[in-house]
Structure formats: structure tokens, C-alpha cells
């Protein structure tokens, strides 16, 4: 039971990170109907930016950690958003009216470019960062087994919650959110009614990248090790989460992220840690085969 | 001169400068941390190494590059003093839109005419040239690095074969398969394991490996082939990764990360290519021993296998099933309305492609003599896909051109010592290989979404031959 509880906490933490990445997938899919394959690599880029900015701030003599972390988060969000914007501008916007698989192919190309760009710029070795936020609370103790929740985990879960609330507000209340939903329903009609479609799509990518950068930042602090390849696997898992929750649905992405995080954690805890990626990938296949519209998604009607 | 500038021209110049400044700002933002500061491990901790000149260089480069493009390329008409100049031949050539698809058709027909005779000549050259080189080298002792050349030719042919195999799935049937490397891996491991445990020869294992790969194609394909295009792509990617992870972790069976070594070499009708032994190739034919014999033999095996792939594809396209594939690529709903069993049609394409992947895999195993899961990562799938996409989906000659350019070109890049003098001693050109691959994929999709050889001639036509319009299909169904 204690073991189960501990894994539950770990799973929710992991799921929060996946959920934040999954929102980027689900928003882009909702608005232009493409799988932004490079989104996982945007996440990876953001964790590198966070690491570099953090080290730079330390070397500039900023030793007050909370302020440093806040600055790191803000700068990383801005820079990563710039990456998201650039990827959209270079690889997806010229293909707006192309055939369906074209943007997927450029997305794969962009993913390869980003991975190798980071590898050339920062080297192929893993980058370690010693734990910055330490300390933890003991929730319960039974027969010598301790259930703990670390400060880092609390921060991750809280940040995700706050971001989710803010984000839901953005989508449901602001004019940007309204244009986004309008573009999602009918791009041509939205354009006729005066919505700047290109700008809305660009902003979607910017928001998605900014959320992924929060995930990248927390991933860096939580695991303390990053390399240029983390984006690939994390990206596929987050995509699985988006599909599981129902692609296009924002609460679905978060729910899917949590489920994938839990599946992965429990699978590693109770079965085998070597095959944890297989568990996530198999979930993807099973969900797509039996439940292509996901948990909270709307079934898609194919129009001719 | 300044007086000659009209208001419109001034506005263009101003717009160009603003746009270039924005691009430069973006480039600065993107590169300031990622390129400007390099993390390095020193004494157990990470330290930063500044490289701000690089950032400045990139920013200036982006600014001036964009400004030049604005002034001399995009806005040429607005800025030139003769505003209604007739476009020269170069402009006409440069804008592919002006050529239109009539031009594409002419090109395709020319290529087809070329293919009739040029193809035969090329194939004949592929057969004769290596032998000629080999004998010249033997007689004259030219000292050419023949082994290296044959190795590269074999490598290129392997990718051509893989490209042709994947072309059946992606180019003909229109199914985006991101896990093609799984079948390559299955072929390789099938041969290695069958040879190790049952002592079967390469020639017996080759069809078996193809059969096993095709079976796996059916097993993996059956549940997922009803999915829509992009979902299918991601699921095949997941399958590819699952197979790689299983190969990596099933230690007792596959050797895990250590892989399988000592994969037997192929023999020439039972005659091994060995220096010593009773019945070896060189003794049987009364030749002097040369390690090149085996290399040359491998070259001819992959040449024949690749030609077989091409031949089968060529014939399949003329069969009802091949026509069904192409129809499926163009419009799935129409196919279903006409009574084509889409699942079976997709499945045959998937299995046929997988079979050729399996053949190529067992060839890879016998050539390398050692296989490990590292050879079968997603990036390999991406390279094969890039070859198919860049060459023009569905075009056989396109795959050849793309393979030669990409694999051969990057092999050249690896050997360019001269670049070291330009970019410094630490410069490793092979690092830039994949980044160029990625950019090429993006650029080709943006510039020519149907690939370099983009016009497809229909296999069947009424009275006159017209190209399938290169205009992208399924427009606007993204929603």
C-alpha cells in the first residue's frame, strides 16, 4: 500500500510533465490537424536553454535560488516560444494547403534538425545538474517504509495546476482563445469574419512551446540529467497522452498525461523497468486501434 | 541615382530593412544561449564557454542574407527601373510554376524515354564497370582504392533497395510508414539467428527472412491499417521502437545491446570466400586469392536484390493490386465506394514492402557480420523515408538519384579534409550530415511537395498519356 502510494505520487509528477507537453500536441492538432512531430524536440531545446540560462545566472553571481529559477523559467519560455514560432514559420506555414502528409514529413525533418543542432551546439554527452530544490515531507510511515513527497514534486504538481487554470481561462475567456476555437472549427469562415488565421496559428505554436518549456524546465530540475535525445521519447509519450485524452481536447491532454505517467510508473514499479517505453508505445497502439477518438474527444466524421 | 527612386521603391527598401531586422532579432534570440554558451564538463561540474562571436556572425549573416533576398530576388520587379521587363530564360526556368505541369509532363516523358534506354545502359554499366575496374586493377596495378569504392557502391545500393521497398508502401499505396527499419531489423536478426541455431546458409535464409518480415508486416499491419494517414505513421513508429526495445532487452535470444557477432558470410554456390580451405572460390576458379572477391560478390548480390525489388514493383504496378494501391493513394473513399477491399490492399502493400526490407536486412547482416539494435534506430527509418520523399514519392528513378546524392554525397562530405582548413581543426563534417538531411526534407516539401521527380505517369490511360497533375491531392481536408 505504501509502495503503491509512493508510486502514485511519482506517477502524478511524471504525468504533469507529460500533460504539459501534450497540450502543445493537442492544440496544434485541433487547429491545423497535423501532428507536430518536432514538439518533443522543442521540449528538449527548452530544457537545454533552462540549463544554460541557469548556469549563466549562477556565473553572473545570482545566488538567490528562487529568483534565479524564476528568471530561468521566464527566459526559457521566451526563447523556446521563439523556437516554436520559427519552426512553424519555416516548416509548416508554407504547407498550409498542401497534401495531408506533407507537414508531417517536414515535422520529422525539423525534429532531425533540432536534435542535431543541439548535438552540434552542446555536444552529445549527457548534461548533469546537481539537485537544486531539496527537501521533502514524509506523508506516512509504516513498517519502516516511508511515503514521501519532495518539494520538487509539490512544485511540479502545483505549477502544472496553476498553468492549467490560467490556460483554460485563456482559451475560454480571451479574444485569442475565441479566435483559436473559431479557427479550429472552420478556418475559412474565421478568416472571412476577420480573424487573422496565420497569426492565431503562430500564437498557438508559441503557447504550445511556452508550455513545453515549463515542462522542460521541470524535467531538468526533477531528473537533473538531460541530453539531446530526451525529446524523442518524451514527445511520443506526450503524443500518446494527447491521443488517449482525445486529440483536440485540452482537459483530455492533461488527463491523458496523468494516465500515461501513471501507466509508466506502475509498469516500471511492478513489472519491468526495461520495458517501460514498450508499455507507453503499446498503449498508443491500443488506444488508436480501439478508441481513436480518445476519452474526452469527439468522434471524427470524415467528410468527402 | 537616389532621385530615381520612386515612392514605391523606397517603401520596398524600408520594408526589406524592417523585415531583415526582425529576422536578425529572431536569429539572435535563437542562438544567443544555444550557440552562444557551450556547456562543458570540468572538474565534475558544468561550466559555460562563451562563443559570442558565433552569435554575432549568425545574426549578421541572417540580416544581410534576408536583405539581399528582399532586394535582389523577391522584389526584383518593384526595384528594377524597367518595371515591365520580359522575364529572361533564367527567371522562366527558376520559377517552376511557370513551367507548369505541361513542363513536368515533358520532363517526365523525357525521363521515361531516358529510362527505356538509359535504364538498360545504367544497369549494364552497374554490372560491367566493377568487373572491368577489378581486372584493370589486377593487370595494371593502378592502386585505386577499389575496396572503398565497392563498399560505398554496396551501401548506396542497400539504400536504393530499402528506398524501393519503402516506395511500395509510401509512394504507391500512400501509407506513411515510420517504422520501416523494424522489418530491416527482423530480416537481419532472422538471418543471424537462423544461421546460428540451425546452420542454414544465406541463400536459404534470404527467402525465409523475407517471409518472416512479411509475416510481421501482416501481424503489425492488420490491426492498424484502418487508421488514418498520420495516426498510422505514429503507430508504425511506435512498432518500430517496440521491436528495437525488445531486441535490446531480450538478452537470451538476441544478445541484447551486445548484438550478434560472427554472422556467416554468403558463399558462391557453396564455395566460400576464404583464403585457406579445400574448396574455396579462388581455388575452384583457379584465381589468385583476393579479399576483393567477396566484396565484389556482395556488390553483385545487392545489385541483383535491388533489381529484383524494382522488377517486382514494376510488374505489380501493372497488376490489379498495383492499380488498387495507386488508386488508394489518390482517394481512399472513392476506392471503398468502388468495392476495393482497402484493408487487404493496404496489407499487401505493407507486407510486400516489409518483405523487401527483410531481404535487405539479411543482406546487411551477412555483409556486416555483426548486428546490434543500434543499427536499427528511428533515424534509419527517417533516412530511408527521406530518400523516398526527396526522390519523389512513387518514382523509382527518384529513389536512385536521392540515394546516390544523399549517401554518396555525405560519404564525400566525410572525406573533405579541405573543410577543416576553413572551419578549424575540430570541424567534423559528418556531424552536419543529419542536419542537412533534415533541412533537405523540409526544403523539398516546401519547394516541391511531390519530390524531385514529381510528375507521375499513370500506368493506364485512355488514348493519350497525361501526367497525374502534380497539384497536391486531398486539399484542405486537414480539418
Amino acid at each position: 500500500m505504501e509502495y503503491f502510494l509512493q508510486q502514485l505520487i511519482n506517477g502524478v509528477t511524471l504525468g504533469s510533465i507529460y500533460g504539459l507537453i501534450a497540450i502543445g500536441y493537442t492544440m496544434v492538432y485541433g487547429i491545423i490537424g497535423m501532428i507536430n512531430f518536432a514538439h518533443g524536440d522543442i521540449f528538449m531545446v527548452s530544457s537545454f536553454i533552462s540549463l544554460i540560462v541557469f548556469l549563466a545566472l549562477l556565473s553572473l553571481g545570482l545566488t538567490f535560488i528562487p529568483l534565479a529559477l524564476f528568471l530561468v523559467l521566464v527566459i526559457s519560455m521566451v526563447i523556446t516560444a521563439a523556437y516554436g514560432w520559427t519552426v512553424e514559420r519555416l516548416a509548416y506555414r508554407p504547407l498550409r494547403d498542401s497534401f495531408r502528409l506533407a507537414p508531417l514529413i517536414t515535422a520529422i525533418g525539423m525534429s532531425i534538425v533540432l536534435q542535431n543542432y543541439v548535438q552540434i551546439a552542446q555536444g552529445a554527452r549527457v548534461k548533469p545538474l546537481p539537485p537544486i530544490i531539496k527537501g521533502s515531507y514524509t506523508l506516512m510511515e509504516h513498517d519502516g517504509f516511508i511515503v514521501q513527497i519532495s518539494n520538487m514534486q509539490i512544485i511540479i504538481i502545483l505549477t502544472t495546476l496553476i498553468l492549467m487554470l490560467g490556460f483554460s481561462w485563456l482559451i475560454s475567456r480571451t479574444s485569442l482563445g475565441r479566435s483559436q476555437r473559431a479557427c479550429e472549427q472552420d478556418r475559412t469562415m474565421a478568416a472571412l469574419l476577420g480573424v487573422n488565421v496565420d497569426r492565431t496559428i503562430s500564437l498557438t505554436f508559441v503557447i504550445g512551446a511556452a508550455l513545453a518549456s515549463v515542462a522542460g524546465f521541470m524535467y531538468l530540475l526533477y531528473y537533473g540529467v538531460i541530453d539531446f535525445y530526451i525529446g524523442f521519447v518524451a514527445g511520443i509519450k506526450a503524443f500518446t497522452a494527447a491521443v488517449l485524452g482525445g486529440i483536440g481536447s485540452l482537459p483530455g491532454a492533461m488527463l491523458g498525461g496523468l494516465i500515461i505517467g501513471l501507466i509508466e510508473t506502475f509498469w516500471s514499479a511492478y513489472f519491468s523497468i526495461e520495458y517501460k517505453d514498450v508499455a507507453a508505445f503499446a498503449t498508443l497502439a491500443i488506444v488508436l486501434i480501439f478508441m481513436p477518438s480518445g476519452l474526452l474527444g469527439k468522434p471524427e466524421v470524415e467528410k468527402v | 541615382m537616389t532621385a530615381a527612386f520612386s515612392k514605391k521603391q523606397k517603401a520596398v527598401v524600408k520594408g526589406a530593412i524592417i523585415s531583415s531586422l526582425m529576422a536578425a532579432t529572431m536569429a539572435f534570440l535563437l542562438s544567443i544561449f544555444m550557440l552562444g554558451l557551450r556547456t562543458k564538463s570540468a572538474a565534475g561540474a558544468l561550466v559555460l564557454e562563451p562563443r559570442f562571436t558565433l552569435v554575432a556572425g549568425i545574426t549578421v549573416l541572417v540580416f544581410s542574407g534576408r536583405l539581399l533576398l528582399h532586394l535582389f530576388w523577391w522584389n526584383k520587379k518593384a526595384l528594377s527601373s524597367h518595371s515591365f521587363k520580359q522575364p529572361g530564360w533564367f527567371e522562366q526556368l527558376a520559377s517552376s510554376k511557370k513551367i507548369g505541369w505541361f513542363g513536368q509532363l515533358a520532363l517526365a516523358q523525357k525521363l521515361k524515354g531516358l529510362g527505356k534506354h538509359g535504364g538498360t545502359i545504367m544497369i549494364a554499366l552497374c554490372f560491367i564497370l566493377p568487373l572491368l575496374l577489378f581486372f584493370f586493377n589486377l593487370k595494371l596495378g593502378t592502386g585505386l582504392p577499389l575496396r572503398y569504392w565497392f563498399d560505398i557502391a554496396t551501401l548506396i545500393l542497400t539504400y536504393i533497395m530499402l528506398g524501393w521497398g519503402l516506395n511500395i508502401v509510401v509512394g504507391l499505396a500512400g501509407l506513411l510508414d515510420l517504422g520501416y527499419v523494424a522489418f530491416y531489423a527482423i530480416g537481419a536478426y532472422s538471418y543471424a539467428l537462423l544461421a546460428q541455431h540451425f546452420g542454414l546458409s544465406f541463400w536459404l535464409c534470404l527467402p525465409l527472412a523475407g517471409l518472416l518480415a512479411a509475416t510481421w508486416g501482416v501481424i503489425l499491419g492488420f490491426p492498424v491499417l484502418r487508421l488514418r494517414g498520420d495516426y498510422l505513421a505514429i503507430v508504425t513508429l511506435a512498432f518500430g521502437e517496440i521491436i528495437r526495445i525488445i531486441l535490446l532487452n531480450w538478452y537470451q535470444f538476441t544478445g541484447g545491446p551486445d548484438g550478434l557477432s560472427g554472422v556467416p558470410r554468403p558463399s558462391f554456390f557453396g564455395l566460400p570466400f576464404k583464403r585457406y580451405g579445400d574448396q574455396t572460390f579462388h581455388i575452384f576458379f583457379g584465381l589468385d586469392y583476393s579479399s576483393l572477391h567477396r566484396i565484389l560478390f556482395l556488390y553483385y548480390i545487392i545489385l541483383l536484390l535491388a533489381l529484383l525489388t524494382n522488377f517486382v514493383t514494376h510488374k505489380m504496378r501493372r497488376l490489379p493490386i498495383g492499380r488498387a494501391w495507386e488508386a488508394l493513394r489518390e482517394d481512399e473513399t472513392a476506392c471503398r465506394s468502388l468495392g476495393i477491399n482497402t484493408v487487404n490492399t493496404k496489407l499487401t502493400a505493407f507486407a510486400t514492402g516489409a518483405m523487401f526490407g527483410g531481404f535487405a536486412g539479411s543482406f546487411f547482416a551477412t555483409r556486416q557480420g555483426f548486428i546490434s539494435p543500434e543499427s536499427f534506430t528511428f533515424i534509419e527509418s527517417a533516412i530511408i523515408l527521406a530518400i523516398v520523399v526527396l526522390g519523389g514519392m512513387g518514382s523509382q528513378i527518384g529513389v536512385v538519384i536521392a540515394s546516390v546524392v544523399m549517401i554518396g554525397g555525405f560519404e564525400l562530405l566525410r572525406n573533405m579534409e579541405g573543410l577543416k582548413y576553413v572551419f578549424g581543426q575540430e570541424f567534423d563534417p559528418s556531424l552536419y550530415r543529419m542536419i542537412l538531411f533534415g533541412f533537405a526534407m523540409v526544403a523539398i516539401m516546401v519547394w516541391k511537395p511531390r519530390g524531385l521527380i514529381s510528375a507521375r505517369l499513370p500506368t493506364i490511360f485512355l488514348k493519350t498519356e497525361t501526367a497525374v497533375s502534380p497539384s497536391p491531392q486531398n486539399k484542405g481536408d486537414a480539418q
Side-chain angles (χ1 to χ4, degrees), chain A residues 82-150:
Chain A
Y83 272 93
W85 185 86
T86 311
V87 166
E88 196 269 341
R89 186 70 190 77
L90 286 182
Y92 307 146
R93 192 180 294 180
L95 293 171
R96 242 352 106 63
D97 292 318
S98 198
F99 66 110
R100 180 157 207 145
L101 293 180
L104 185 57
I105 291 166
T106 51
I108 294 168
M110 248 14 240
S111 158
I112 295 174
V113 167
L114 284 175
Q115 269 180 33
N116 287 277
Y117 164 68
V118 172
Q119 191 189 351
I120 292 168
Q122 299 293 334
R125 291 230 201 112
V126 293
K127 306 284 173 193
L129 183 74
I132 297 161
I133 298 172
K134 291 173 198 143
S136 60
Y137 295 98
T138 304
L139 294 181
M140 58 192 281
E141 198 171 351
H142 191 260
D143 295 339
F145 192 89
I146 308 167
V147 181
Q148 278 184 326
I149 181 162
S150 68

Side-chain angles (χ1 to χ4, degrees), chain A residues 29-35 37 44-46 48-49 51-53 55-57 59 75 78-79 81-83 85-86 89-91 94-129 183-187 229 232-233 236 239 243 247 274-275 277-278 281-282 284-285 288-289 292 300 302-304, chain B residues 22 26 28-41 44-48 51 66 170 174-176 178 223-224 226-235 237-239 241-251 331-334 336 377-379 382-383 385-386 389 393 431-443 445-447 449-450 472-479:
Chain A
Y29 197 93
I31 203 161
I32 49 174
M34 66 160 284
I35 300 171
F37 197 80
M44 176 272 296
V45 165
S46 79
F48 267 86
I49 301 274
L51 174 71
I52 295 166
V53 174
L55 291 176
L57 287 178
S59 63
I75 296 174
V78 171
I79 303 276
Y83 272 93
W85 185 86
T86 311
R89 186 70 190 77
L90 286 182
L95 293 171
R96 242 352 106 63
D97 292 318
S98 198
F99 66 110
R100 180 157 207 145
L101 293 180
L104 185 57
I105 291 166
T106 51
I108 294 168
M110 248 14 240
S111 158
I112 295 174
V113 167
L114 284 175
Q115 269 180 33
N116 287 277
Y117 164 68
V118 172
Q119 191 189 351
I120 292 168
Q122 299 293 334
R125 291 230 201 112
V126 293
K127 306 284 173 193
L129 183 74
C183 290
E184 219 174 299
Q185 283 180 2
D186 192 331
R187 241 189 293 158
Y229 201 64
F232 177 67
V233 173
I236 294 178
F239 176 73
V243 173
I247 199 142
E274 288 92 4
Y275 288 103
D277 290 350
V278 171
F281 294 148
L284 173 67
L288 278 179
I289 293 164
E300 198 165 315
E302 199 177 328
K303 288 179 201 152
V304 185
Chain B
M22 298 225 325
M26 216 59 197
F28 176 76
L29 272 184
L30 294 189
S31 56
I32 175 74
F33 292 113
M34 198 51 107
L35 293 173
L37 296 163
R38 189 185 166 96
T39 48
K40 268 194 162 178
S41 353
L46 286 175
V47 290
L48 292 173
R51 292 185 298 185
R66 193 161 169 96
V170 178
L175 308 164
L176 189 54
L178 294 179
V224 300
R226 64 194 71 227
L227 293 175
R228 256 204 359 247
D230 38 5
Y231 278 2
L232 175 75
I234 296 290
V235 170
L237 170 86
F239 279 152
E241 281 298 294
I242 288 176
I243 285 186
R244 190 181 64 83
I245 296 170
I246 289 174
L247 290 178
L248 198 62
N249 287 307
W250 196 357
Y251 204 85
D331 194 332
E332 190 174 339
T333 320
R336 222 180 292 151
T377 52
F378 168 67
I379 218 71
I383 291 178
L385 180 71
V389 168
M393 284 179 261
L431 265 180
Y432 293 80
R433 184 188 128 117
M434 285 316 291
I435 215 168
L436 282 176
F437 248 132
F439 272 127
M441 271 170 101
V442 176
M445 272 294 122
V446 171
W447 177 52
R450 288 293 193 193
Q473 300 291 319
N474 308 332
K475 256 192 176 179
D477 72 341
Q479 277 297 307

Side-chain angles (χ1 to χ4, degrees), chain B residues 209-402:
Chain B
L211 206 65
L212 275 170
T215 313
W216 273 102
V218 172
I219 294 172
L220 296 183
F222 185 70
V224 300
L225 280 173
R226 64 194 71 227
L227 293 175
R228 256 204 359 247
D230 38 5
Y231 278 2
L232 175 75
I234 296 290
V235 170
T236 50
L237 170 86
F239 279 152
E241 281 298 294
I242 288 176
I243 285 186
R244 190 181 64 83
I245 296 170
I246 289 174
L247 290 178
L248 198 62
N249 287 307
W250 196 357
Y251 204 85
Q252 299 83 354
F253 188 57
T254 63
D258 305 339
L260 295 167
S261 53
V263 182
R265 305 292 191 171
S267 58
F268 184 81
F269 295 104
L271 300 169
F273 291 87
K274 280 180 188 158
R275 186 182 284 270
Y276 306 108
D278 302 329
Q279 270 301 12
T280 61
F281 180 78
H282 67 282
I283 293 176
F284 188 85
F285 285 96
L287 302 165
D288 290 327
Y289 175 77
S290 161
S291 62
L292 273 179
H293 289 158
R294 189 170 58 77
I295 309 280
L296 209 55
F297 181 57
L298 284 172
Y299 168 82
Y300 280 112
I301 292 179
I302 189 66
L303 182 61
L304 285 175
L305 282 175
L307 286 177
L308 177 76
T309 316
N310 188 25
F311 179 75
V312 170
T313 314
H314 208 64
K315 289 291 162 207
M316 286 284 233
R317 280 185 76 176
R318 270 154 185 73
L319 292 176
I321 184 72
R323 301 211 197 289
W325 288 343
E326 290 190 78
L328 198 67
R329 174 190 63 196
E330 298 303 329
D331 194 332
E332 190 174 339
T333 320
C335 277
R336 222 180 292 151
S337 324
L338 289 172
I340 293 174
N341 184 337
T342 50
V343 172
N344 276 0
T345 312
K346 285 177 178 178
L347 214 51
T348 44
F350 212 62
T352 316
M355 180 181 76
F356 289 118
F359 287 160
S362 53
F363 173 78
F364 175 78
T366 193
R367 181 174 110 98
Q368 299 285 329
F370 165 76
I371 46 171
S372 78
E374 248 175 61
S375 314
F376 308 107
T377 52
F378 168 67
I379 218 71
E380 206 66 26
S381 283
I383 291 178
I384 305 167
L385 180 71
I387 285 174
V388 173
V389 168
L390 301 183
M393 284 179 261
S395 158
Q396 297 290 86
I397 190 77
V399 168
V400 177
I401 297 170

Side-chain angles (χ1 to χ4, degrees), chain A residues 159-221:
Chain A
T159 315
T160 309
L161 264 179
I162 294 167
L163 275 175
M164 277 312 293
L165 288 177
F167 188 68
S168 311
W169 174 80
L170 183 86
I171 293 296
S172 58
R173 296 270 184 263
T174 63
S175 77
L176 171 65
R178 271 192 293 278
S179 346
Q180 265 179 345
R181 281 178 290 149
C183 290
E184 219 174 299
Q185 283 180 2
D186 192 331
R187 241 189 293 158
T188 322
M189 195 62 213
L192 285 173
L193 293 174
V195 174
N196 188 341
V197 175
D198 273 343
R199 186 171 152 269
T200 311
I201 293 176
S202 280
L203 279 174
T204 307
F205 274 84
V206 164
I207 295 171
L211 287 178
S213 89
V214 180
F217 169 73
M218 297 196 301
Y219 184 95
L220 172 73
L221 292 184

